């Protein structure tokens, strides 16, 4: 199963609006996830995420802490320390090192990974929405971090976190030789040999199915005749949700758009069996990372009779 999709926290949508309730929970049995420039805190040697207690935060300012939710009597908060001074960051370094969550994404499946992804996503949103999109005045954190409110009294606009929908699809076709193949491609900036399913953002005014058809045509020049939705995955890198499809092609000649892809090719299941894993030091073809819905779509297809 792909990662970052096992979120079981109660978001407490009513209680979190109560500043007194939030202040109390900050002092209770709270767990704190620190982020720094979109990175999460890890114990590197153990590849283990770090959850701090309130006491371990020391003198860190928690005024702009973001309430993530609670499970049983544990309350989770995210705190972005990107603007902290060097001395403070050095002190935090005693607990671990800030790294990209995807570095250990395949090793921390489950709820922990989902909470880390949530913290990364909301901290990114707050950092990139400091000013009102209507009047340009400064925004301030509201509803324990689940919104931002404009400080201009004549505007006072309330902004909520947004997620960008993107379709991701495994395109398949049975060729004249009776063998079914799937279409994989790569972007120029990816590691050597790394491949993935095709993907793209949903345009305004189109359905998810229309987005699948359009993106496959734009990127690879392939006509899609049928689409089937399978699953979705939060992908806060920085702020997307991936909507996964299996798509059937009615054409097979690939015409790659170099602005979108560097390369694309049809592959059989037998060929995929010889692929290396993402991150391995080899120039051979590599399957997508294990924490991605792209890998999930491929594995679903490979398991079909």
């Amino acid at each position: 199963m792909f990662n970052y999709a096992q979120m079981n926290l109660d978001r407490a949508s009513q209680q979190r609006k109560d500043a007194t309730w939030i202040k109390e929970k900050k002092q209770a049995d709270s767990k704190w996830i620190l982020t720094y420039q979109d990175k999460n805190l890890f114990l590197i040697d153990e590849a283990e995420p770090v959850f701090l207690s309130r006491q371990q935060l020391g003198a860190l300012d928690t005024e702009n802490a973001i309430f993530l939710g609670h499970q049983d009597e544990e309350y989770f908060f995210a705190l972005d320390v990107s603007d902290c001074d060097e001395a403070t960051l050095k002190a935090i370094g005693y607990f671990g090192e800030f790294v990209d969550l995807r570095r250990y994404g395949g090793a921390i499946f489950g709820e922990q990974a989902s909470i880390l992804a949530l913290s990364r996503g909301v901290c990114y949103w707050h950092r990139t929405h400091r000013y009102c999109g209507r009047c340009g005045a400064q925004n301030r954190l509201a509803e324990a971090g689940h919104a931002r409110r404009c400080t201009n009294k004549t505007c006072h606009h309330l902004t909520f976190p947004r997620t960008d929908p993107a379709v991701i699809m495994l395109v398949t076709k049975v060729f004249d030789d009776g063998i079914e193949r799937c279409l994989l491609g790569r972007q120029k900036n990816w590691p050597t040999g790394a491949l993935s399913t095709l993907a793209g953002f949903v345009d305004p005014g189109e359905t998810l199915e229309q987005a699948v058809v359009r993106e496959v045509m734009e990127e690879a020049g392939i006509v899609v005749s049928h689409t089937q939705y399978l699953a979705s995955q939060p992908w806060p890198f920085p702020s997307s949700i991936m909507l996964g499809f299996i798509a059937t092609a009615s054409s097979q000649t690939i015409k790659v758009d170099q602005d979108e892809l560097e390369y694309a090719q049809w592959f059989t299941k037998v060929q995929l069996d010889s692929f290396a894993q993402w991150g391995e030091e080899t120039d051979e073809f590599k399957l997508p990372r294990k924490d991605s819905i792209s890998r999930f779509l491929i594995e679903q297809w490979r398991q079909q009779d």
Side-chain angles (χ1 to χ4, degrees), residues 78-280:
L79 187 62
D80 191 345
V81 297
S82 298
D83 294 332
C84 287
D85 58 48
E86 187 174 344
T88 301
L89 292 174
K90 185 176 180 179
I92 294 171
Y94 171 81
F95 297 104
E97 181 180 336
F98 287 103
V99 298
D100 190 311
L101 175 57
R102 288 167 291 184
R103 176 173 172 179
Y104 298 122
I108 54 168
F109 284 95
E111 188 172 359
Q112 277 194 334
S114 299
I115 294 173
L116 293 177
L118 172 60
S119 66
R120 184 194 194 280
V122 294
C123 286
Y124 171 84
W125 180 77
H126 277 280
R127 199 171 64 256
T128 56
H129 288 75
R130 296 183 177 183
Y131 299 95
C132 178
R134 289 189 176 182
C135 72
Q138 187 174 1
N139 279 329
R140 285 184 180 171
L141 180 144
E143 296 187 12
H146 290 260
R148 293 186 71 84
R149 187 178 295 279
C150 177
T151 56
N152 179 355
K153 293 182 179 180
T154 62
C155 178
H156 222 45
H157 179 60
L158 196 63
T159 305
F160 298 94
R162 294 291 184 265
T163 299
D164 301 320
V167 290
I168 184 166
M169 44 276 174
L170 183 69
V171 182
T172 67
K173 179 175 175 56
V174 178
F175 280 54
D176 292 339
D177 58 8
I179 299 176
E180 188 176 31
R181 292 170 170 82
C182 72
L183 181 65
L184 302 179
R186 60 169 281 108
Q187 296 181 7
K188 294 178 181 179
N189 60 340
W190 287 358
T192 303
L195 294 169
S196 181
T197 53
L198 305 190
F201 289 105
V202 180
D203 279 352
E206 69 179 354
T207 66
L208 301 180
E209 293 79 6
Q210 288 170 337
V212 170
V213 173
R214 175 184 55 77
E215 284 290 343
V216 175
M217 172 56 70
E218 288 179 357
E219 293 189 357
I222 296 295
V223 178
V224 168
S225 57
H226 177 73
T227 63
Q228 179 185 356
Y229 171 79
L230 285 189
S232 63
Q233 180 190 29
W235 195 252
F237 304 105
S239 56
S240 300
I241 181 167
M242 308 303 293
L243 305 156
F245 286 80
I246 292 286
T248 304
S250 56
S251 66
Q252 69 183 56
T253 301
I254 299 171
K255 298 178 182 178
V256 170
D257 181 348
Q258 293 292 327
D259 291 334
E260 299 282 348
L261 297 176
E262 177 186 48
Y263 170 87
Q265 181 178 323
W266 294 101
F267 296 95
T268 67
K269 294 178 182 179
V270 172
Q271 288 175 305
L272 296 187
D273 290 338
S274 65
F275 278 20
Q277 300 296 324
W278 187 290
E280 290 185 0

